[in-house]
Amino acid sequence: MKSSKQWLMGFRFSFTRYVIPSLDRSHAGFYRCIVRNRVGALMQRSSQVQVAYMEGFVEGERSQVVSQGEAALISPPQIHSFPRPGITWFRDGRKIPPSSRIALTLDNTLVILSAVAPDAGRYYAQAVNDKNGENKTSQPIILNPANDCMAFNHVDCVSRSGPVLQRGTLVKVLQCTYRRRGCRQLHILSEYFLKYLSVSECFRSVWLSTLTTDSTELFAEHPQFVKEPDRHITAEMEKVVDIPCQARGVPQPDIVWYKDAVPISPAKTPRYRVLVGGSLQINGLLPDDTGMFQCFARNLAGEIQTNTYLAVTSIAPNITAGPSDSAVIDGMSIILHCETSGAPRPAITWQKADRVLASGSVQLPRFTLLESGSLLISPAHLSDVGSYTCMASNSRGIDEASADLVVWARTRITNPPQDQSVIKGTKAAMTCGVTHDPSVTVRHIWEKGGAAIDVKSSPRLRLDSNGTLHLSQTWSGDIGTYTCKVTSVGGNDSRNAHLRVRQLPHAPENLIATLSSSERRTINLTWAQAFDGNSPLIRYILEVSENNAPWTVLLANIDPEASSVIVGGLIPARSYQFRLCAVNDVGKGQFSRETIEVAAYNGAGQGVYSPKVTEWTLQGAYQIAFRKNSSSITSANVDVLNPSARQYTATGLKPESVYVFRLTAQTRKGWGEAAEALVVTTEKRARPQPTSHPVVPQEEVQARSVLLSWEPGSDGLSPIRYYTVQYRELPDSNWTVHSASVNHEASSYVIDKLKPFTSYQFRVKATNDIGDSEYSEESEAITTLQDAPDKAPTILSVTPHTTTSVLVRWKPPPEEEINGILLGFRVRYRELRYDRLRSFTVRTVNSPSANWAELTAPYSMRNLTESSLTQYELDNLNKHKRYEIRLSVYNAVGEGPTSSPQEVFVGEAVPTAPPQNAAIQSSTATQLDVTWDPPPVEAQNGDIQGYKVQYFDVLHQSKCTFVKSCSGFNEIFFYSTAPSAPSFIHFSELTTTSVNMSWGEPKQRNGIVEGYRVVYEPCTPVDGVSKVVTVDVKGSTPLWMKIKDLADGVTYNFRIRAKTLTYGPEIEANITTGPGEGAPGPPGEPFISRYGSALTLHWSSGDPGRAPITRYVIEARPSDEGLWDILIKDIPKEVTSYTLNLDTLREGVTYDFRVIAVNDYGYGSPSAPSPSISAQKVSPFYEEWWFLVVIALVGLIFILLLIFILIIRGQSRKYTEKTDSGAHSNCTSLPLSHGEMVRLDEGRFPALELNNRRLSVKNSFYRKNGIYTRSPPRPSPGSLHYSDEDVSIKYNDLVPAESSSLTEKPSEVSDSQCSDSEYELDPSRQKTHSFVNHYISDPTYYNSWRRQQKGVSRPPAYGYAQPDTVAEQDNPSPQPQGQGTLFRPKGSRTPTPSLLTSDNHSQHTLYRPPSSLGTSAQVPATGFSSFV
């Protein structure tokens, strides 16, 4: 039994039917239908589904021998089928009818009593499945009766258990054995046979006795209920209830209980107990016990069921899942949920305010109370906005829940786009005005021809906020149908409009001038109408030039529908040129090519006219009229539409009314026939219902057509537009559309172009304005009748076999071309008596009314009944005659066409034995002698003309042949024979349009292979054309080629052969383009990004097919209709982008790209082509003009900067010379006071207090780097005071020598000496420059005093003597004056004070006042100053 869960997941329901869409053998089994509602569930009795199928016969060909006079029992070969197939027996292609000697048993065994010699033959069993129409034919069973027994001498009869089916009646079988001259014979006799056979009376008595010895059959009685429960049982909680159910039958039925379609198990629920006899007892009733109870009684004969509803009372109602606030679009459907519990089951009532919408007794239109208690509103209207209340009530109380419903106004296009016609190069605007609910947001999407328009892709396109699409500079590529789609939560809508771009008409074509045959000096000009520029032509203008004179207008207003004009009054012997142009509402088009004609009549007559050309242009109009079906024709509303209109909207119609619409088209010739349609103005339109079960009457079944009939279903309140008929070929074919435009008024249809002797099923669907119906149920399987074969066998060869016979070899036609069961072949042959005739032959025709006569000899025919033959020796022919031979096949219906005639000369045949006693010996170093004897005389079959001696050259791998004529050795010559066929054909890299073909070398080259010839063509015409392509490949390599001009989904035949001196035999193979089964689907449409001289192709993965994707392939083609070719082969499967250099493409050519995924099943479907992109290289930035300008400007700035530096350096040199002039003057240094010495502040940073005097010094850093500027004065070393104790503690990298001094490079001593020589020390002189003010304000000053690294030994910067600390403290007076210098040892960049000795060699020591480390010391400077 199939579970209901499997039903819902695997299939679909259609009303009250359960539909299995694609039935197969796995669906066989038992099914039950379960019906559920708010009360409970009921389970239907089981239904068995048996799936009809039939496989092929298991056994092959076999032989069976029976003695003549003995009964032959031919059992059919085993076949797997359901139901059991009907068997029809054939002998040598003819159906075997029943007779007094032949019968068929129930197991389809063919019984032939008293077999005789004519019963010999090939017997076939044809099995037909009555359910699905399949039929199969077995392999032949060859029966050979043997003549080895003669007469009766003993008879034994016994009863046989199996019956015989004779003329539709089952009769008992009697098996008789008798002996005839010692041979045991077996007969199967029946009561029917005993009536007609003259046999001994003992047969009849034995037969009658067997009729009474049959065993008694065992009968089963269908179950019947003895006691059934009431349909409704009410009980209170915690009570005990008994539900009666008793049944009888043979054997005694089993009782099985179900609650709501679920089996009851007393073991799982002890409160449930099945009593003796089958009744159900429930103890301690609970609310969950409420529901439907079913009792099933089953035995071998079947099952029956009864049911009751048990209601457990006294439970108040409860809304377990109430409605929630919802929103719906106007015109759509919505469900407000309300699920309840309670006992008895609560009654549901839905209200809006005080108005009852739906209940058990009330149901307003559009409001439906569902079985679950929910409310369906279909369709919803704007007036349905409000609060809805679900009320659940029973005898114990009431419960209710409410929710609010919001109805959005449907989004509609109220100002749709209109069909337009604009002139090429102008603007076009397509409107798309929308009305929608103010609370929703709408989005406009424009499409052209089904493809979305990206307005950002072209500056010609612009989309306004109101949805209007603007197109500027229109051209012919803009012609098409535009669709405006509006999407929103309030609904979607779309409208179409057609844009036509008019332009100047093209020039008329094929302008031909011919002399008039009726009038002198007159010519007739004819032409073919060209493209009218999408606008009706107004007139033609004809201009003429006489003897190359300027062009003048000859005729300025030629009818636009004319294709010829007569020009008269021409002057003889003058040259005329004519040209023609067309004019439409856009303007005058180009002139045609000139034609030259001499207007002299010379009697040549009328020339050949050009072929007639018909051009259809948009002319005329449409007229639409509509009225109520009940009103008169005169009250109809009539509108005239322009010729480009394809839709019409009628407004102001009354709802729920029937209208008649009538549409008529008009051209310049007048109005055509009208088309009418009935339209019902209602909101309840729906798709039509399927038609009835299609029927094919057996008398309407032909070999190639059937008549299908059906009854229309409901049209869904919308007129049926057409029917679609599908068919499928059993057993495995898919459904195929035979016609999608069957007249809507038809109820039958002739389906033609079917295959004879083939089983089919049919189905029908209807289509109205709303959509398609479901397909109808499939018709019963029918099998078309047999028909005469469509094709003749192919004669492969006709070769002389002996001097009076020929051997005919052939290939039978395909099985589908035989159109039935192949019964045999017919060979027709005749002697060609006209061959080599030297005189006339007189024949008399006796019939006076005859109008033709057969001059050649009539055909002789031989009937071949062996359907498996592929060759036949046609003998008893006349020697030295030419014969014509034809071949055909036949089946039970008739004979097929005959093959093409093959001629053969009879009298000589190829020798049937080889030369005898062949021997070979070496005569010289370069010569071999071969000797042999002729074949036997009886095998020569004529005069020996010569011999062929073949040998194989091992060195050059070539096969060569000598031919020796019987006239002498002087006629011997040497030649190379043709090569054998290539060893194989292999196809790879198969796509939708290309394939890589490779082949192998011939196994026998027989010389030097000079090339190959490849020929390929489609097996069926492509677009009505079958193109054969021949390609010659020069040389023996390469052994492959790429074919790129194939069509998608077409099967091609490829043939190839090799060539030495001539072409050898060919090898062929077929290949079908396109992805195979299991190949990947197309990747996403690629897009291209460009970076300099590289292109990057991006795509997304698609359907991988039946195996994972292994790699990707990129194909490219020139955009100007080039062929696709593989550009990149092996791209890893993980990659979805690829960058390629433009050097691999032809510069200046525009390319399209597409991507193909590859898996183990082969190449998949290609993606959509990428946007076209040009392979034009982009110059690098350093070749751009702006970059060169920037480089030039930068160079100019550097040159100017260099000039400036040179000028500054020159000025610095002048200053240096001036300062060096005072370098030898005596310089004195004043002692520093206590407050002017160096101190350490609280942060351990040294502060310098310098004299307020202007110093002139050169900066060593600037001088080293070639920069000479006038620097601020530098302090004299003698005027600086240091406190090295704290400095050495704070800065670890200052390693003092014995005096912990700071040193200065010796090379810079000269720069610091006599730094105060420029000015005299005059206290009363006004200071023009303050050294302290200059340096103390420079935040980089202190950084110039670099600390010395630890552990580095430095020479002392100055002399050192231990001072008297007490004396220093008591005598704060300054030290004696001396000359102070600044000495810098090598490697030091820090200025270090040093005291130089005077002439009396006095030494100066460093003075450190005690207050320099005290808290009362002067506040230090806030930072370092740098001077480099």
Side-chain angles (χ1 to χ4, degrees):
M1 182 183 74
K2 304 289 184 181
S3 66
S4 61
K5 180 178 180 182
Q6 183 177 355
W7 283 22
L8 297 177
M9 294 181 61
F11 309 97
R12 58 184 172 87
F13 285 97
S14 176
F15 302 102
T16 58
R17 294 174 298 174
Y18 177 53
V19 180
I20 303 176
S22 181
L23 189 68
D24 56 41
R25 295 173 60 181
S26 63
H27 297 136
F30 290 89
Y31 291 77
R32 295 184 185 274
C33 175
I34 298 176
V35 183
R36 299 182 185 275
N37 61 11
R38 296 182 60 252
V39 176
L42 284 176
M43 185 169 60
Q44 190 187 34
R45 288 183 298 175
S46 63
S47 300
Q48 184 178 10
V49 174
Q50 296 174 326
V51 181
Y53 70 92
M54 186 167 68
E55 299 177 356
F57 284 95
V58 177
E59 303 177 24
E61 181 176 334
R62 73 171 190 260
S63 298
Q64 185 170 335
V65 179
V66 62
S67 299
Q68 292 190 19
E70 182 182 2
L73 282 75
I74 306 177
S75 59
Q78 183 182 1
I79 186 172
H80 298 289
S81 173
F82 182 86
R84 188 175 179 180
I87 298 294
T88 302
W89 284 92
F90 294 82
R91 182 169 68 88
D92 295 334
R94 298 184 181 276
K95 184 177 179 181
I96 301 175
S99 65
S100 60
R101 236 175 25 93
I102 299 175
L104 188 67
T105 65
L106 283 181
D107 61 354
N108 295 315
T109 299
L110 182 65
V111 180
I112 303 175
L113 291 179
S114 186
V116 293
D119 292 332
R122 303 170 69 89
Y123 287 77
Y124 298 86
Q126 184 186 50
V128 178
N129 191 315
D130 295 332
K131 294 300 182 181
N132 62 6
E134 293 185 63
N135 61 82
K136 302 289 183 181
T137 302
S138 70
Q139 293 294 321
I141 302 173
I142 303 173
L143 181 64
N144 294 315
N147 187 8
D148 56 355
C149 295
M150 294 299 295
F152 274 104
N153 61 1
H154 182 72
V155 177
D156 293 325
C157 296
V158 297
S159 175
R160 186 184 179 192
S161 59
V164 172
L165 180 62
Q166 186 61 247
R167 294 189 178 180
T169 303
L170 292 177
V171 297
K172 299 299 179 179
V173 173
L174 183 66
Q175 178 174 303
C176 297
T177 304
Y178 59 92
R179 295 187 179 276
R180 179 180 293 167
R181 291 190 177 180
C183 296
R184 183 176 181 273
Q185 303 293 321
L186 174 66
H187 272 278
I188 306 298
L189 304 180
S190 69
E191 185 179 25
Y192 177 82
F193 296 140
L194 294 176
K195 293 179 181 179
Y196 296 94
L197 295 181
S198 177
V199 295
S200 172
E201 185 62 26
C202 73
F203 285 122
R204 194 179 301 273
S205 61
V206 175
W207 165 257
L208 294 176
S209 66
T210 61
L211 298 179
T212 60
T213 59
D214 294 334
S215 60
T216 303
E217 293 182 350
L218 176 64
F219 293 95
E221 182 183 358
H222 199 273
Q224 294 181 357
F225 281 115
V226 177
K227 186 181 295 186
E228 297 182 53
D230 296 335
R231 293 301 178 187
H232 191 279
I233 300 175
T234 302
E236 296 182 357
M237 289 182 57
E238 301 180 358
K239 299 293 184 179
V240 178
V241 63
D242 290 337
I243 304 177
C245 182
Q246 294 182 9
R248 67 182 180 187
V250 178
Q252 180 63 33
D254 295 329
I255 302 297
V256 180
W257 283 91
Y258 292 82
K259 179 183 181 295
D260 293 335
V262 178
I264 294 177
S265 175
K268 296 182 179 179
T269 310
R271 295 188 303 108
Y272 290 75
R273 186 163 65 93
V274 179
L275 303 177
V276 177
S279 299
L280 178 66
Q281 185 181 78
I282 306 176
N283 298 305
L285 288 175
L286 297 176
D288 292 338
D289 293 329
T290 300
M292 297 294 301
F293 286 79
Q294 281 183 282
C295 174
F296 279 82
R298 300 171 182 151
N299 65 6
L300 296 177
E303 69 175 14
I304 56 175
Q305 69 89 23
T306 185
N307 60 80
T308 183
Y309 176 73
L310 174 63
V312 180
T313 60
S314 302
I315 300 178
N318 179 34
I319 297 178
T320 57
S324 59
D325 296 341
S326 305
V328 66
I329 302 172
D330 179 28
M332 303 297 289
S333 301
I334 188 172
I335 296 178
L336 300 178
H337 297 279
C338 185
E339 299 179 5
T340 63
S341 64
R345 188 174 298 277
I348 303 297
T349 301
W350 279 92
Q351 293 181 342
K352 180 185 178 187
D354 295 331
R355 182 186 182 191
V356 176
L357 303 176
S359 66
S361 58
V362 177
Q363 181 169 330
L364 298 182
R366 300 189 299 109
F367 298 90
T368 303
L369 180 63
L370 303 180
E371 295 296 336
S372 62
S374 302
L375 178 66
L376 169 65
I377 306 176
S378 177
H381 292 170
L382 293 175
S383 59
D384 295 334
V385 175
S387 178
Y388 290 77
T389 301
C390 172
M391 181 182 300
S393 62
N394 65 5
S395 58
R396 293 296 304 273
I398 298 175
D399 192 13
E400 62 182 27
S402 300
D404 293 331
L405 177 64
V406 176
V407 181
W408 287 324
R410 177 179 289 274
T411 301
R412 301 179 186 273
I413 297 178
T414 55
N415 185 16
Q418 302 295 328
D419 293 345
Q420 298 185 38
S421 176
V422 299
I423 298 176
K424 182 179 179 180
T426 61
K427 297 181 179 179
M430 312 288 283
T431 60
C432 189
V434 178
T435 58
H436 58 90
D437 195 284
S439 62
V440 302
T441 303
V442 299
R443 179 188 176 199
H444 292 80
I445 300 174
W446 280 91
E447 294 181 353
K448 179 193 173 191
I453 299 176
D454 184 7
V455 295
K456 298 180 181 180
S457 62
S458 174
R460 297 190 308 108
L461 304 177
R462 178 168 59 88
L463 181 62
D464 292 345
S465 58
N466 61 1
T468 301
L469 178 65
H470 297 272
L471 297 91
S472 61
Q473 300 178 5
T474 56
W475 64 298
S476 59
D478 295 330
I479 298 174
T481 300
Y482 289 76
T483 302
C484 176
K485 291 187 176 180
V486 178
T487 60
S488 70
V489 295
N492 305 327
D493 200 2
S494 64
R495 291 291 188 274
N496 299 329
H498 188 78
L499 177 63
R500 185 163 58 98
V501 180
R502 309 192 311 275
Q503 60 184 8
L504 292 175
H506 290 188
E509 299 176 350
N510 300 329
L511 181 62
I512 300 174
T514 58
L515 291 175
S516 174
S517 60
S518 58
E519 298 182 28
R520 297 170 60 87
R521 302 179 184 179
T522 302
I523 64 171
N524 186 20
L525 288 176
T526 61
W527 63 88
Q529 293 184 354
F531 176 60
D532 63 357
N534 293 320
S535 177
L537 298 181
I538 300 175
R539 56 194 170 94
Y540 286 103
I541 298 176
L542 179 64
E543 292 187 354
V544 63
S545 174
E546 181 178 354
N547 290 336
N548 295 325
W551 291 97
T552 59
V553 176
L554 181 62
L555 297 174
N557 194 15
I558 302 176
D559 193 323
E561 294 184 355
S563 60
S564 65
V565 67
I566 297 175
V567 179
L570 303 180
I571 301 174
R574 291 197 180 183
S575 174
Y576 290 92
Q577 288 182 317
F578 298 93
R579 65 181 185 180
L580 190 70
C581 72
V583 181
N584 62 7
D585 63 350
V586 181
K588 184 171 67 174
Q590 295 180 352
F591 281 93
S592 65
R593 294 182 180 180
E594 301 85 358
T595 179
I596 300 176
E597 192 65 56
V598 177
Y601 187 80
N602 56 9
Q606 180 176 299
V608 179
Y609 285 95
S610 63
K612 183 179 179 180
V613 177
T614 301
E615 291 288 338
W616 295 95
T617 58
L618 293 175
Q619 300 176 1
Y622 292 103
Q623 176 181 285
I624 189 167
F626 62 93
R627 60 179 175 83
K628 274 192 174 183
N629 193 27
S630 58
S631 61
S632 63
I633 298 177
T634 58
S635 62
N637 297 323
V638 180
D639 280 344
V640 178
L641 310 179
N642 60 57
S644 61
R646 294 297 181 270
Q647 67 178 16
Y648 176 79
T649 302
T651 59
L653 304 180
K654 294 184 178 181
E656 305 298 331
S657 301
V658 180
Y659 285 85
V660 178
F661 281 80
R662 183 182 180 92
L663 182 64
T664 312
Q666 182 193 37
T667 64
R668 296 193 179 188
K669 299 296 183 181
W671 292 97
E673 295 183 1
E676 288 189 354
L678 289 177
V679 177
V680 181
T681 55
T682 178
E683 295 289 341
K684 299 180 180 179
R685 289 190 181 89
R687 297 183 179 186
Q689 295 298 317
T691 65
S692 65
H693 184 76
V695 176
V696 180
Q698 188 61 38
E699 61 271 12
E700 299 295 341
V701 177
Q702 305 298 326
R704 301 179 186 271
S705 65
V706 298
L707 178 63
L708 186 69
S709 302
W710 65 86
E711 292 294 334
S714 172
D715 61 1
L717 295 179
S718 181
I720 300 296
R721 299 303 183 189
Y722 56 88
Y723 290 98
T724 301
V725 177
Q726 285 189 338
Y727 70 94
R728 69 172 175 179
E729 184 178 334
L730 299 177
D732 300 326
S733 296
N734 297 325
W735 287 101
T736 303
V737 174
H738 184 274
S739 177
S741 58
V742 178
N743 190 291
H744 64 282
E745 298 179 349
S747 60
S748 61
Y749 180 72
V750 176
I751 304 176
D752 55 2
K753 300 179 181 179
L754 302 179
K755 298 178 181 179
F757 204 54
T758 305
S759 298
Y760 289 95
Q761 277 186 317
F762 307 94
R763 63 182 185 181
V764 183
K765 77 173 179 180
T767 302
N768 63 6
D769 294 334
I770 306 303
D772 299 334
S773 71
E774 299 289 337
Y775 275 101
S776 67
E777 295 181 1
E778 296 87 351
S779 68
E780 296 293 337
I782 62 98
T783 301
T784 54
L785 303 180
Q786 296 189 48
D787 199 0
D790 287 335
K791 195 172 182 180
T794 303
I795 297 180
L796 302 178
S797 64
V798 179
T799 57
H801 193 252
T802 66
T803 57
T804 59
S805 66
V806 294
L807 185 63
V808 184
R809 292 186 176 91
W810 66 85
K811 181 175 71 174
E815 183 178 355
E816 59 271 14
E817 302 289 346
I818 297 176
N819 300 332
I821 300 176
L822 178 61
L823 300 182
F825 302 88
R826 290 190 175 123
V827 180
R828 286 179 170 82
Y829 62 98
R830 67 179 176 183
E831 181 183 334
L832 298 179
R833 299 179 181 177
Y834 55 84
D835 188 34
R836 297 182 181 178
L837 289 179
R838 294 295 183 265
S839 62
F840 290 100
T841 301
V842 177
R843 295 202 179 178
T844 303
V845 180
N846 297 322
S847 175
S849 61
N851 54 11
W852 64 277
E854 177 69 43
L855 298 181
T856 58
Y859 282 102
S860 299
M861 185 182 70
R862 295 192 186 179
N863 197 29
L864 309 180
T865 59
E866 296 289 338
S867 60
S868 60
L869 290 178
T870 58
Q871 65 179 21
Y872 177 72
E873 183 180 0
L874 187 61
D875 54 4
N876 297 328
L877 303 179
N878 297 326
K879 293 180 61 175
H880 305 296
K881 297 294 183 180
R882 183 171 294 276
Y883 281 85
E884 181 183 86
I885 298 174
R886 293 174 180 262
L887 195 64
S888 64
V889 296
Y890 66 93
N891 57 18
V893 176
E895 182 181 359
T898 58
S899 63
S900 300
Q902 298 288 330
E903 294 186 8
V904 64
F905 183 78
V906 180
E908 289 188 348
V910 296
T912 55
Q916 305 295 311
N917 304 323
I920 185 172
Q921 62 180 0
S922 176
S923 59
T924 65
T926 60
Q927 180 177 342
L928 296 175
D929 293 337
V930 182
T931 60
W932 62 88
D933 294 332
V937 176
E938 65 275 8
Q940 293 182 6
N941 295 330
D943 297 332
I944 299 295
Q945 302 294 321
Y947 297 91
K948 278 200 303 187
V949 180
Q950 292 184 331
Y951 71 94
F952 188 77
D953 189 343
V954 179
L955 179 61
H956 298 92
Q957 293 290 307
S958 62
K959 183 179 180 182
C960 302
T961 303
F962 281 110
V963 176
K964 177 186 181 301
S965 173
C966 289
S967 60
F969 287 96
N970 56 342
E971 296 184 6
I972 294 179
F973 62 91
F974 168 80
Y975 67 96
S976 294
T977 59
S980 63
S983 55
F984 65 86
I985 295 180
H986 178 69
F987 298 100
S988 62
E989 299 180 6
L990 175 64
T991 68
T992 56
T993 58
S994 64
V995 67
N996 196 359
M997 173 187 176
S998 59
W999 58 87
E1001 292 183 344
K1003 294 183 178 179
Q1004 298 177 356
R1005 290 182 291 182
N1006 299 336
I1008 299 176
V1009 176
E1010 297 181 358
Y1012 297 88
R1013 171 164 291 178
V1014 178
V1015 180
Y1016 62 93
E1017 61 180 325
C1019 295
T1020 57
V1022 179
D1023 297 331
V1025 178
S1026 182
K1027 182 176 66 174
V1028 180
V1029 180
T1030 302
V1031 181
D1032 288 330
V1033 181
K1034 303 298 183 182
S1036 59
T1037 57
L1039 299 178
W1040 64 273
M1041 67 179 299
K1042 183 69 173 287
I1043 296 96
K1044 298 183 291 185
D1045 58 343
L1046 306 181
D1048 186 14
V1050 177
T1051 300
Y1052 286 85
N1053 175 260
F1054 286 82
R1055 304 184 297 273
I1056 182 172
R1057 53 182 178 172
K1059 177 185 179 183
T1060 53
L1061 291 179
T1062 184
Y1063 284 103
E1066 63 185 12
I1067 183 175
E1068 64 177 350
N1070 290 350
I1071 188 70
T1072 302
T1073 58
E1077 186 177 358
E1085 180 176 353
F1087 64 93
I1088 300 174
S1089 57
R1090 184 169 185 164
Y1091 303 96
S1093 61
L1095 300 178
T1096 301
L1097 194 68
H1098 307 266
W1099 65 89
S1100 59
S1101 301
D1103 181 15
R1106 295 186 179 178
I1109 294 176
T1110 57
R1111 59 189 174 99
Y1112 287 98
V1113 171
I1114 296 179
E1115 287 189 330
R1117 72 171 180 187
S1119 299
D1120 53 351
E1121 301 301 329
L1123 298 177
W1124 289 104
D1125 195 6
I1126 294 178
L1127 181 63
I1128 306 296
K1129 278 189 178 180
D1130 298 316
I1131 300 177
K1133 60 182 179 181
E1134 300 85 4
V1135 175
T1136 56
S1137 64
Y1138 189 83
T1139 301
L1140 55 94
N1141 199 300
L1142 289 179
D1143 293 337
T1144 60
L1145 306 176
R1146 287 183 293 170
E1147 185 172 0
V1149 177
T1150 302
Y1151 286 90
D1152 299 332
F1153 300 91
R1154 66 183 184 184
V1155 182
I1156 301 175
V1158 184
N1159 65 7
D1160 294 339
Y1161 288 89
Y1163 282 59
S1165 300
S1167 68
S1170 70
S1172 300
I1173 188 169
S1174 175
Q1176 188 69 35
K1177 292 185 179 179
V1178 179
S1179 301
F1181 71 93
Y1182 51 79
E1183 294 182 3
E1184 298 290 341
W1185 64 269
W1186 56 267
F1187 182 77
L1188 300 178
V1189 172
V1190 171
I1191 293 299
L1193 292 176
V1194 171
L1196 180 60
I1197 292 174
F1198 273 105
I1199 293 173
L1200 295 176
L1201 182 61
L1202 181 60
I1203 295 174
F1204 177 74
I1205 293 173
L1206 293 177
I1207 295 174
I1208 296 301
R1209 185 172 183 179
Q1211 292 180 354
S1212 299
R1213 287 182 178 178
K1214 292 180 181 180
Y1215 179 76
T1216 303
E1217 293 174 357
K1218 182 176 179 180
T1219 54
D1220 288 345
S1221 62
H1224 301 286
S1225 62
N1226 294 327
C1227 300
T1228 60
S1229 176
L1230 296 178
L1232 300 176
S1233 64
H1234 177 75
E1236 295 173 333
M1237 295 184 179
V1238 178
R1239 299 191 303 270
L1240 293 176
D1241 62 359
E1242 294 178 357
R1244 303 301 185 186
F1245 292 98
L1248 302 181
E1249 293 184 1
L1250 307 177
N1251 276 334
N1252 193 17
R1253 54 182 181 168
R1254 185 174 183 180
L1255 303 179
S1256 175
V1257 72
K1258 291 186 294 183
N1259 190 308
S1260 62
F1261 175 83
Y1262 286 167
R1263 183 175 60 81
K1264 292 178 182 179
N1265 292 276
I1267 303 175
Y1268 289 88
T1269 59
R1270 184 172 180 84
S1271 304
R1274 186 171 182 174
S1276 172
S1279 64
L1280 300 179
H1281 296 270
Y1282 296 85
S1283 178
D1284 59 344
E1285 180 180 354
D1286 290 343
V1287 173
S1288 63
I1289 296 173
K1290 180 65 178 177
Y1291 299 95
N1292 296 330
D1293 56 346
L1294 297 178
V1295 181
E1298 295 178 357
S1299 62
S1300 303
S1301 62
L1302 299 175
T1303 62
E1304 186 176 356
K1305 292 181 180 180
S1307 60
E1308 299 179 359
V1309 173
S1310 61
D1311 296 337
S1312 60
Q1313 290 180 352
C1314 301
S1315 60
D1316 57 349
S1317 61
E1318 183 176 353
Y1319 297 97
E1320 300 233 348
L1321 298 176
D1322 187 358
S1324 62
R1325 183 176 178 178
Q1326 184 180 0
K1327 296 183 175 71
T1328 60
H1329 186 285
S1330 174
F1331 182 88
V1332 175
N1333 292 339
H1334 175 79
Y1335 283 97
I1336 212 66
S1337 63
D1338 187 356
T1340 63
Y1341 173 73
Y1342 291 112
N1343 293 334
S1344 67
W1345 306 93
R1346 298 186 59 184
R1347 299 184 294 271
Q1348 298 182 17
Q1349 299 181 0
K1350 292 183 179 182
V1352 180
S1353 178
R1354 305 279 188 182
Y1358 48 82
Y1360 180 81
Q1362 182 68 32
D1364 187 359
T1365 306
V1366 178
E1368 290 177 356
Q1369 293 177 354
D1370 294 340
N1371 186 12
S1373 60
Q1375 296 292 328
Q1377 293 183 359
Q1379 186 175 4
T1381 62
L1382 182 62
F1383 173 73
R1384 296 179 180 175
K1386 187 176 182 180
S1388 172
R1389 299 181 62 183
T1390 305
T1392 306
S1394 176
L1395 298 178
L1396 302 179
T1397 58
S1398 61
D1399 295 339
N1400 56 3
H1401 303 284
S1402 64
Q1403 295 183 352
H1404 299 273
T1405 61
L1406 179 64
Y1407 174 73
R1408 297 181 180 178
S1411 60
S1412 63
L1413 300 176
T1415 59
S1416 62
Q1418 183 179 348
V1419 179
T1422 60
F1424 293 104
S1425 295
S1426 175
F1427 179 71
V1428 182

